[in-house]
Amino acid sequence: MTRGSHGVAAGLFALVWLSCVWFGSWPFNPNNATRLFGALALVEQHDAKIDRFESLTIDKAQFGDHHYMDKAPGTTLMAAPLVWAANHVTHTDSRDQVIDITSPKLDHFLSLRLLLAVAFGTALLTAFAAVLLFDLGTGITGSVTAGLVAALGYALGSVVWGWSTTLFGHAPVAGLLTIATWAVWRGTSGPKELGRWRYPVMAGAALGWALVVEFTAIFGGVAIGLWALWRTRHLDAPTRRRIYGVTAGVALLMLVPLGAYNQFAFGTPFKLGYEGVVGFNGMQQGLFGLTYPKPLVLVKLLFSPRRGLIWVAPVLLLGAVGLYRMIRTVTTRDLGVLAAAITTIVLLVNSSYVYWDGGASTGPRHSVVAIPFLAIGLAPFWAGLRHRWARIATAALLGLSILVNLAIATTDIFDSDTMSFPLWEHNAVMFVTGNLTNFPSQWLGWAPWRGFALYLVLVGPLLTMMVLSARRADRIVAPVA
């Protein structure tokens, strides 16, 4: 990192992590629930069957007489040690619970384990990825403020924030692919970095684990891999073999838990939970529901009030302009092409999915992985602004995006799939009426608005300090090539 940026990075990590942990999500959402049930089965029963809980979730797979989690196992495997710790410390497990969705005791039991899994899983990944995106944005522009704008647009100015309060795989994969992109960029930025092992190790670990979390991560992962080949094309053969060997070896090592889980659950490493999905006949179309891109769906993913990305992250429009500028600039062209390619790939895959709208979802949840790559463009967009009014307008749009997602995170990321404009009909109504969820209100018995006010008291000075530090650093740091 550049001189003067370390304090901003530390503040950014704390801000993003706290923001993801402070606002929770509903543990009985089928996606959250099936992953929690899978973790409970591993910890308490030492198998993968969720038969005892299957009536509480519509997201499940069935093989023979038994039910299983129907997702990729990554988030469940990350949650399992935390579920074990919670059981051990509280001396309770699910066998002490009445398996009834209306049970407050079961809700509390699952909510605690969900909180721990998010705090030490998804929230950590999102916060770490935000710091690396900050470093990347600072590096390609020479402006610490530009890097901060990109990082805030990604982590708090989009629905990455809300989805980072859940056990869904979208936010973790977005974070992991961001980490892999930073590792390739930083690891190929000079002769000194090429000799360091940590960058290919990080890239391989992030790419491998992303596939364990969500199988669709392979599309973005392949794009990053091809980009890495391009970035290293001028190196001598021994150096390339070392980098490729380390990266591929670590990635394959990270896939071992996937094969081990499948062997443990289904008796073979080559069987997936998606093969036994119950109740979603659309999964039989194409490849587990993936067919071909639909232009109308693509338009809806971007612009429709029901699921459009523009409504839940308006600042990303400027990110798209920034990517265009990156592609037109020789020094950032390859990174801009990668970011644009991954954004396009993710949107096309989402528009190919039979359940493209994501059911109970705020924004296009299956397109969340595209968000950090659009956010990269915010850094050059900001750095290219020459007039004070333009920066004020950009900061205002970023602030609006953060406020929108603050309202989403503190109310409900699981908007109804029957509303035409859920952001207005659901989240805004919940927020105005004080139907909020936050750590103090859920765990300390505080009034919701009081817990919300404490959050603002904590993050307000932190955010102010970061902005002032970034501006100060820009005055003393020479531009970075």
Side-chain angles (χ1 to χ4, degrees):
M1 290 191 178
T2 60
R3 181 184 173 189
S5 65
H6 291 85
V8 179
L12 178 65
F13 184 92
L15 172 65
V16 174
W17 184 83
L18 179 66
S19 297
C20 295
V21 173
W22 198 266
F23 304 108
S25 61
W26 188 43
F28 287 111
N29 175 274
N31 251 289
N32 270 340
T34 195
R35 290 175 163 94
L36 281 172
F37 298 155
L40 287 166
L42 292 175
V43 170
E44 298 175 0
Q45 303 167 190
H46 309 297
D47 64 29
K49 302 180 186 69
I50 64 168
D51 295 334
R52 186 160 180 259
F53 312 100
E54 63 88 12
S55 62
L56 302 184
T57 178
I58 58 174
D59 285 343
K60 54 195 171 187
Q62 184 171 1
F63 296 100
D65 296 329
H66 297 291
H67 292 87
Y68 302 83
M69 177 183 66
D70 65 342
K71 310 299 180 185
T75 53
T76 291
L77 295 176
M78 292 166 63
L82 299 159
V83 168
W84 176 88
N87 286 6
H88 181 73
V89 171
T90 62
H91 303 290
T92 60
D93 62 36
S94 67
R95 288 166 292 195
D96 302 319
Q97 310 299 318
V98 176
I99 307 304
D100 184 345
I101 199 170
T102 65
S103 169
K105 185 179 177 183
L106 179 61
D107 186 296
H108 185 275
F109 175 88
L110 293 175
S111 293
L112 174 61
R113 284 143 185 85
L114 176 61
L115 172 64
L116 293 173
V118 166
F120 298 102
T122 307
L124 281 179
L125 283 173
T126 297
F128 185 45
V131 171
L132 297 187
L133 187 60
F134 162 69
D135 183 57
L136 193 157
T138 299
I140 63 175
T141 62
S143 167
V144 177
T145 304
L148 181 60
V149 168
L152 291 175
Y154 154 62
L156 300 183
S158 76
V159 285
V160 165
W161 185 356
W163 292 113
S164 294
T165 68
T166 74
L167 281 187
F168 287 55
H170 313 307
V173 169
L176 287 163
L177 294 189
T178 302
I179 292 168
T181 300
W182 177 87
V184 173
W185 169 76
R186 177 61 74 186
T188 56
S189 60
K192 184 178 179 181
E193 284 75 14
L194 286 169
R196 292 177 173 170
W197 290 86
R198 63 172 175 256
Y199 299 118
V201 169
M202 283 182 65
L207 291 172
W209 193 251
L211 189 58
V212 181
V213 173
E214 287 284 357
F215 299 133
T216 53
I218 192 170
F219 299 109
V222 167
I224 294 172
L226 293 174
W227 177 61
L229 293 178
W230 173 261
R231 295 273 294 189
T232 56
R233 69 192 185 282
H234 297 309
L235 300 179
D236 59 85
T239 301
R240 289 202 308 271
R241 284 196 296 268
R242 176 182 61 81
I243 293 174
Y244 302 160
V246 170
T247 304
V250 173
L252 290 173
L253 185 63
M254 298 305 291
L255 293 178
V256 169
L258 173 60
Y261 173 85
N262 291 338
Q263 177 69 43
F264 182 71
F266 312 122
T268 171
F270 305 108
K271 195 170 190 176
L272 305 177
Y274 281 114
E275 296 176 42
V277 168
V278 175
F280 292 90
N281 294 330
M283 295 294 287
Q284 307 304 317
Q285 298 181 29
L287 179 64
F288 299 125
L290 292 177
T291 55
Y292 58 91
K294 286 86 170 174
L296 180 58
V297 171
L298 189 59
V299 171
K300 291 179 178 179
L301 288 171
L302 293 172
F303 303 112
S304 74
R306 181 165 172 255
R307 287 292 181 269
L309 184 62
I310 186 176
W311 298 102
V312 292
V315 75
L316 294 182
L317 283 172
L318 306 183
V321 176
L323 292 186
Y324 174 73
R325 292 181 178 177
M326 289 176 68
I327 294 171
R328 287 176 56 87
T329 304
V330 173
T331 55
T332 58
R333 180 169 296 155
D334 64 306
L335 178 59
V337 169
L338 171 75
I342 292 182
T343 299
T344 303
I345 290 168
V346 170
L347 289 170
L348 289 176
V349 170
N350 194 165
S351 70
S352 302
Y353 188 39
V354 64
Y355 300 112
W356 64 271
D357 63 347
S361 167
T362 301
R365 68 179 177 90
H366 294 295
S367 291
V368 163
V369 175
I371 289 175
F373 296 94
L374 280 168
I376 288 173
L378 290 172
F381 181 88
W382 177 271
L385 298 176
R386 294 292 176 262
H387 300 288
R388 185 169 178 268
W389 66 264
R391 294 199 170 189
I392 291 174
T394 300
L397 187 59
L398 174 60
L400 174 63
S401 293
I402 292 174
L403 289 175
V404 166
N405 285 283
L406 173 61
I408 291 170
T410 196
T411 54
D412 191 5
I413 193 67
F414 307 126
D415 278 339
S416 170
D417 60 354
T418 62
M419 297 178 178
S420 59
F421 196 179
L423 181 63
W424 180 255
E425 298 173 49
H426 185 60
N427 297 102
V429 172
M430 290 183 70
F431 186 80
V432 170
T433 58
N435 190 0
L436 315 178
T437 300
N438 51 65
F439 183 88
S441 67
Q442 185 174 14
W443 298 101
L444 304 178
W446 288 26
W449 280 118
R450 187 181 175 194
F452 180 79
L454 178 59
Y455 169 77
L456 296 181
V457 168
L458 292 173
V459 304
L462 181 59
L463 183 58
T464 301
M465 178 276 294
M466 290 162 52
V467 172
L468 294 177
S469 296
R471 295 180 63 185
R472 189 181 310 115
D474 283 344
R475 288 195 292 268
I476 63 174
V477 177
V480 177

